[in-house]
Amino acid sequence: MNRFAGKVALVTGSSNGIGRATGILFAQEGAKVTITGRNTKRLEETRQTILKAGIPESHVLAIPADLATEEGQDKLINETVKKFGHLNILVNNAGTAFSDAEGRIGLDQPVSDFDKVMRINLRSVVTLTQKAKDHLIKAKGEVVNVSSIAGGQQAMTGAMYYAMTKSALDQFTRSTAIDLIDHGVRVNSVSPGVVVTGIGEAIGMPEGSFEKMAEFLESRKECIPCGKAAQPIDIANVIAFLADRKLSSYIIGQSMVADGGSSLIMGMNTVDMNSILTS
Ligand code: NDP
């Protein structure tokens, strides 16, 4: 399938996880892609995977950059447009969480962690989208943000600051969607549940711990009803759907949940009422 032929996509956070799968998928489906991250070794792994899939070198631009900086963001936009001539699709995927070395959570977690996570998960999305705006308007393009079910209605004391960034991102998606649709640009987002990626290690969990946690959660119907954590490609497919105007043209400003049913479960519905009432 060559559904993105002639399109140029910039995918942030494509040196690992969901962004890597998305960059590879876009390239396989005909797009010219800019891939990026701070870790040059992992970024090169993404580039090599794309090339091994038979995609010409001229279709891939790898830019090491720290998205938390304005210079890094300027470099991404300027070099993408310089090499490929235009920009059709912006995927704001890069993101992380910061855990406290002393294990403090909720309001006890230092506000410096709040500042750091806001800067990468939210502020960088706002400023990168501002910098991309004129190019996207020219191309009548698409923006897909990567949010999380953590930003939903339920509380999340264990990762409160992270969850707050995603709630705010959902509002950004809705509001910019209305702002930009006047110019022919669509904005949507995907809200994944548990996805097996590098995020565990990125936030300081020991190697293998995130996978162990995912295995536990997929064994409990009240945690992941479909019985399986997602792989990055499961989310990349949703991102591609939202970036594909032929398939999703009438979807504007929505956050599409892809979580195996996790966010549909309410705690009180996980207990067996019959056994309580008859005991
Ligand atoms: P990974 O840790 O595997 O990938 C995160 C990517 O973001 C990496 O490529 C990393 O690149 C990049 N990144 C982080 N900080 C910066 C920075 N300052 N500058 C540039 N790039 C940066 O995690 P995921 O793939 O899981 O995360 C992708 C998105 O998915 C995030 O927004 C996350 O919140 C969201 N998400 C993930 C879920 C999950 O269960 N995994 C669930 C719900 C949402 P590098 O390290 O090279 O800088």
Side-chain angles (χ1 to χ4, degrees):
M1 193 158 48
N2 248 5
R3 61 173 153 162
F4 294 119
K7 308 280 185 197
V8 174
L10 163 56
V11 183
T12 69
S14 33
S15 55
N16 213 353
I18 294 168
R20 170 180 282 169
T22 305
I24 295 167
L25 181 64
F26 276 123
Q28 283 173 331
E29 300 208 359
K32 292 178 177 165
V33 288
T34 296
I35 52 172
T36 182
R38 293 161 302 175
N39 185 310
T40 48
K41 186 168 167 280
R42 284 202 301 253
L43 187 59
E44 181 57 19
E45 281 166 19
T46 305
R47 197 178 81 92
Q48 287 302 331
T49 310
I50 292 173
L51 298 182
K52 276 186 201 130
I55 286 122
E57 235 176 314
S58 58
H59 281 212
V60 195
L61 175 62
I63 306 178
D66 184 351
L67 260 183
T69 67
E70 296 276 335
E71 309 81 71
Q73 296 175 12
D74 286 333
K75 199 161 116 184
L76 283 179
I77 302 293
N78 296 341
E79 290 189 15
T80 297
V81 174
K82 190 169 161 213
K83 180 168 173 75
F84 296 131
H86 55 279
L87 175 64
N88 303 88
I89 299 165
L90 171 63
V91 181
N92 286 310
N93 161 76
T96 194
F98 295 91
S99 54
D100 177 46
E102 292 172 37
R104 289 169 293 188
I105 58 167
L107 264 185
D108 294 327
Q109 189 169 354
V111 77
S112 52
D113 286 343
F114 168 82
D115 291 335
K116 280 192 290 184
V117 74
M118 278 287 180
R119 187 162 190 93
I120 176 68
N121 288 13
L122 192 63
R123 193 179 194 282
S124 81
V125 175
V126 174
T127 51
L128 191 68
T129 308
Q130 284 175 333
K131 291 173 198 293
K133 181 178 163 183
D134 289 346
H135 301 292
L136 292 167
I137 289 173
K138 221 182 276 171
K140 301 238 177 299
E142 334 284 327
V143 178
V144 183
N145 298 321
V146 178
S147 184
S148 168
I149 57 167
Q153 289 294 308
Q154 72 291 345
M156 196 160 172
T157 46
M160 182 173 85
Y161 299 148
Y162 172 80
M164 289 166 70
T165 66
K166 297 300 188 179
S167 303
L169 180 61
D170 289 345
Q171 182 55 245
F172 177 74
T173 296
R174 288 190 288 272
S175 297
T176 50
I178 293 304
D179 188 3
L180 292 181
I181 197 61
D182 277 352
H183 304 283
V185 176
R186 284 187 319 130
V187 183
N188 285 293
S189 79
V190 56
S191 289
V194 179
V195 193
V196 182
T197 66
I199 199 164
E201 281 181 54
I203 64 179
M205 288 168 80
E207 202 182 330
S209 298
F210 191 84
E211 288 75 4
K212 198 171 156 195
M213 183 194 77
E215 272 169 35
F216 172 82
L217 295 173
E218 52 190 20
S219 73
R220 307 283 292 256
K221 287 282 179 199
E222 69 273 28
C223 297
I224 306 180
C226 81
K228 161 177 148 343
Q231 293 300 315
I233 187 65
D234 297 320
I235 307 305
N237 279 324
V238 180
I239 294 170
F241 167 73
L242 291 171
D244 181 344
R245 195 164 284 221
K246 277 202 191 114
L247 296 183
S248 61
S249 67
Y250 211 53
I251 302 178
I252 309 285
Q254 297 300 312
S255 191
M256 184 163 284
V257 173
D259 69 348
S262 296
S263 58
L264 296 180
I265 303 296
M266 249 201 307
M268 64 181 165
N269 292 340
T270 64
V271 292
D272 181 355
M273 278 300 164
N274 269 342
S275 67
I276 292 168
L277 295 173
T278 54
S279 65

